[in-house]
Each structure stands twice: as C-alpha cells, then as structure tokens.
C-alpha cells in the first residue's frame, strides 16, 4: 500500500464553506476509483491550504489518478501547484472498522 500526501494553497478569501463544498462535489469521483482504499480530505485555514491523504493499493494508481489533467484542474480552480509525497504503508490501524490492514504483497 502507498499513502499519498497532497497539499495545495488556496486562494485568499476562500471560505471554509466553499472548500467543503468543493470536497463534497468531487467525492463521488473518488468513490469510483478502483485502487483507492481511502481518502481523507484535509483543510488548514490558518495556512490557507487544503489537500488529502490517500491510501492506494499501489503507487502507479496514485500517479495515474493525479496526472497532468488533475494538476491542471487544481491550478485552474485554486491557482496553485499541488505538492505530492508518497509513503510506503506497511500497516494501517483502522479503529472505525476494528481491524488491522496489512499491506498486500
């Protein structure tokens, strides 16, 4: 598994309500992503940033989902270039589901 960390700056003056509305608008698109295990949206109003933590089956799927068209949409919508980092994820503790999720190798 791979955890992908995506962060981008928001335009000045954007409200929390606008940020959350954008998250809700695109959430269904991510529900149809077959190799996405989980997405956690994040928002930091003091820094003027938003993004997400994604848990993917593999890095290739993450990179495919966040290709040039996706980057351009972030640029067009928020006026910033997203920063992306990848982390190997050997184990997830999921208290909501009450289980451990090991990587599938």
């Amino acid at each position: 598994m791979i955890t992908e960390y995506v962060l981008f700056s928001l335009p000045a003056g954007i409200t929390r309500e606008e940020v959350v509305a954008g998250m809700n608008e695109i959430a269904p698109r991510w529900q149809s992503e077959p190799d996405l295990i989980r997405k956690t949206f994040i928002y930091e109003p003091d820094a003027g940033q938003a993004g997400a933590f994604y848990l993917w089956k593999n890095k290739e799927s993450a990179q495919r989902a966040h290709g040039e068209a996706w980057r351009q949409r972030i640029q067009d919508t928020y006026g910033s270039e997203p920063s992306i980092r990848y982390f190997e994820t050997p184990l997830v503790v999921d208290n909501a589901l009450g289980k451990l999720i090991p990587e599938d190798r």
Side-chain angles (χ1 to χ4, degrees), residues 4-9 42 49-54 66 70-71 74-75 80-87:
E4 180 186 36
Y5 170 56
V6 174
L7 190 66
F8 53 88
S9 295
I42 57 174
Q49 295 178 315
F53 287 97
Y54 298 78
H66 292 125
W70 175 86
R71 288 175 181 273
I74 295 298
Q75 181 68 42
S80 66
E81 178 69 24
S83 171
I84 300 177
R85 292 186 62 195
Y86 301 99
F87 303 88

Side-chain angles (χ1 to χ4, degrees), residues 44-101:
E44 214 298 89
D46 292 337
Q49 295 178 315
F53 287 97
Y54 298 78
L55 184 62
W56 293 95
K57 291 180 181 178
N58 54 64
K59 187 175 180 180
E60 295 76 25
S61 296
Q63 291 173 325
R64 197 169 33 256
H66 292 125
E68 189 55 42
W70 175 86
R71 288 175 181 273
Q72 188 61 53
R73 188 182 69 75
I74 295 298
Q75 181 68 42
D76 293 346
T77 304
Y78 299 107
S80 66
E81 178 69 24
S83 171
I84 300 177
R85 292 186 62 195
Y86 301 99
F87 303 88
E88 289 188 20
T89 308
L91 182 65
V92 173
V93 175
D94 192 321
N95 289 335
L97 295 178
K99 64 181 186 176
L100 298 177
I101 303 169

Side-chain angles (χ1 to χ4, degrees), residues 24 26-36 39:
N24 280 295
I26 65 167
R29 178 261 186 262
W30 294 105
Q31 287 180 302
S32 65
E33 189 66 48
D35 290 332
L36 179 64
K39 177 176 181 172

